[in-house]
Amino acid sequence: MPSAPLTPAQVEQLGDAAGRIAAYAARSLHEDYPHLDLEQLVETFTRPVATEATARVYLAALDRGATPGDAAGKAGTALIHAWADARLAAKAAAEAARTA
Protein backbone atom coordinates (compact mmCIF):
# COMPACT_ATOMS: atom_id res chain seq x y z
CA MET A 1 0.00 0.00 0.00
CA PRO A 2 1.26 3.50 -0.64
CA SER A 3 2.87 5.10 2.37
CA ALA A 4 1.56 8.55 1.45
CA PRO A 5 -2.15 9.35 1.41
CA LEU A 6 -3.77 9.17 -2.01
CA THR A 7 -4.57 12.39 -3.80
CA PRO A 8 -8.18 13.03 -4.79
CA ALA A 9 -7.29 12.13 -8.39
CA GLN A 10 -5.71 8.86 -7.25
CA VAL A 11 -8.76 8.04 -5.14
CA GLU A 12 -10.96 8.62 -8.19
CA GLN A 13 -8.71 6.39 -10.31
CA LEU A 14 -8.73 3.70 -7.63
CA GLY A 15 -12.53 3.83 -7.41
CA ASP A 16 -12.77 3.52 -11.18
CA ALA A 17 -10.37 0.57 -11.17
CA ALA A 18 -12.24 -1.21 -8.36
CA GLY A 19 -15.54 -0.70 -10.16
CA ARG A 20 -14.16 -2.07 -13.41
CA ILE A 21 -12.65 -5.05 -11.61
CA ALA A 22 -16.01 -5.81 -9.98
CA ALA A 23 -17.82 -5.53 -13.30
CA TYR A 24 -15.35 -7.77 -15.14
CA ALA A 25 -15.39 -10.34 -12.34
CA ALA A 26 -19.21 -10.40 -12.33
CA ARG A 27 -19.38 -10.71 -16.11
CA SER A 28 -16.78 -13.45 -16.12
CA LEU A 29 -18.68 -15.51 -13.56
CA HIS A 30 -21.98 -14.91 -15.35
CA GLU A 31 -20.50 -16.02 -18.69
CA ASP A 32 -19.19 -19.25 -17.17
CA TYR A 33 -22.28 -19.79 -15.00
CA PRO A 34 -25.26 -18.15 -16.74
CA HIS A 35 -27.63 -19.22 -13.96
CA LEU A 36 -25.92 -16.67 -11.68
CA ASP A 37 -27.77 -13.36 -11.74
CA LEU A 38 -25.46 -10.70 -13.18
CA GLU A 39 -27.09 -7.80 -11.32
CA GLN A 40 -26.81 -9.67 -8.02
CA LEU A 41 -23.15 -10.41 -8.67
CA VAL A 42 -22.44 -6.75 -9.43
CA GLU A 43 -24.31 -5.69 -6.27
CA THR A 44 -22.33 -8.19 -4.19
CA PHE A 45 -18.99 -7.23 -5.71
CA THR A 46 -19.60 -3.50 -5.21
CA ARG A 47 -20.50 -3.68 -1.52
CA PRO A 48 -18.14 -1.56 0.59
CA VAL A 49 -16.31 -4.54 2.09
CA ALA A 50 -15.73 -6.05 -1.36
CA THR A 51 -14.65 -2.74 -2.86
CA GLU A 52 -12.19 -2.14 -0.02
CA ALA A 53 -10.71 -5.62 -0.36
CA THR A 54 -10.46 -5.25 -4.13
CA ALA A 55 -8.72 -1.89 -3.80
CA ARG A 56 -6.34 -3.28 -1.17
CA VAL A 57 -5.28 -6.22 -3.37
CA TYR A 58 -5.00 -3.97 -6.43
CA LEU A 59 -2.79 -1.41 -4.66
CA ALA A 60 -0.64 -4.11 -3.08
CA ALA A 61 -0.03 -5.68 -6.49
CA LEU A 62 0.89 -2.30 -7.95
CA ASP A 63 3.29 -1.72 -5.07
CA ARG A 64 4.95 -5.07 -5.86
CA GLY A 65 5.57 -3.87 -9.41
CA ALA A 66 2.62 -5.41 -11.25
CA THR A 67 1.24 -3.58 -14.25
CA PRO A 68 -2.25 -2.10 -13.77
CA GLY A 69 -3.68 -4.94 -15.88
CA ASP A 70 -1.93 -7.62 -13.87
CA ALA A 71 -2.92 -5.92 -10.61
CA ALA A 72 -6.54 -5.83 -11.77
CA GLY A 73 -6.35 -9.52 -12.66
CA LYS A 74 -5.01 -10.37 -9.22
CA ALA A 75 -7.69 -8.28 -7.53
CA GLY A 76 -10.46 -9.80 -9.66
CA THR A 77 -9.23 -13.31 -8.97
CA ALA A 78 -9.08 -12.61 -5.23
CA LEU A 79 -12.61 -11.18 -5.36
CA ILE A 80 -13.99 -14.27 -7.09
CA HIS A 81 -12.16 -16.59 -4.69
CA ALA A 82 -13.50 -14.73 -1.65
CA TRP A 83 -17.03 -14.87 -3.10
CA ALA A 84 -16.75 -18.59 -3.87
CA ASP A 85 -15.34 -19.35 -0.40
CA ALA A 86 -18.21 -17.44 1.22
CA ARG A 87 -20.80 -19.28 -0.89
CA LEU A 88 -19.28 -22.65 -0.04
CA ALA A 89 -19.19 -21.79 3.67
CA ALA A 90 -22.83 -20.65 3.59
CA LYS A 91 -23.86 -23.80 1.75
CA ALA A 92 -22.00 -25.99 4.27
CA ALA A 93 -23.58 -24.14 7.19
CA ALA A 94 -27.05 -24.52 5.69
CA GLU A 95 -26.45 -28.23 5.10
CA ALA A 96 -25.17 -28.70 8.66
CA ALA A 97 -28.21 -26.91 10.05
CA ARG A 98 -30.53 -28.99 7.87
CA THR A 99 -29.03 -32.28 9.02
CA ALA A 100 -28.80 -31.30 12.70
Side-chain angles (χ1 to χ4, degrees):
M1 297 276 258
S3 56
L6 298 176
T7 67
Q10 289 172 318
V11 170
E12 186 173 333
Q13 288 174 339
L14 181 58
D16 182 58
R20 287 176 187 261
I21 292 165
Y24 284 120
R27 270 194 262 158
S28 176
L29 273 175
H30 180 69
E31 287 173 8
D32 290 342
Y33 304 98
H35 66 281
L36 296 173
D37 182 80
L38 181 59
E39 288 182 26
Q40 181 61 41
L41 288 169
V42 170
E43 190 277 324
T44 298
F45 289 171
T46 56
R47 289 181 181 154
V49 68
T51 302
E52 290 168 13
T54 300
R56 195 174 319 112
V57 172
Y58 179 74
L59 288 174
L62 289 176
D63 283 349
R64 288 190 303 275
T67 66
D70 287 341
K74 290 176 189 308
T77 299
L79 180 61
I80 291 171
H81 281 266
W83 172 84
D85 290 346
R87 286 205 32 146
L88 289 172
K91 184 176 180 179
E95 181 64 23
R98 186 184 67 76
T99 59

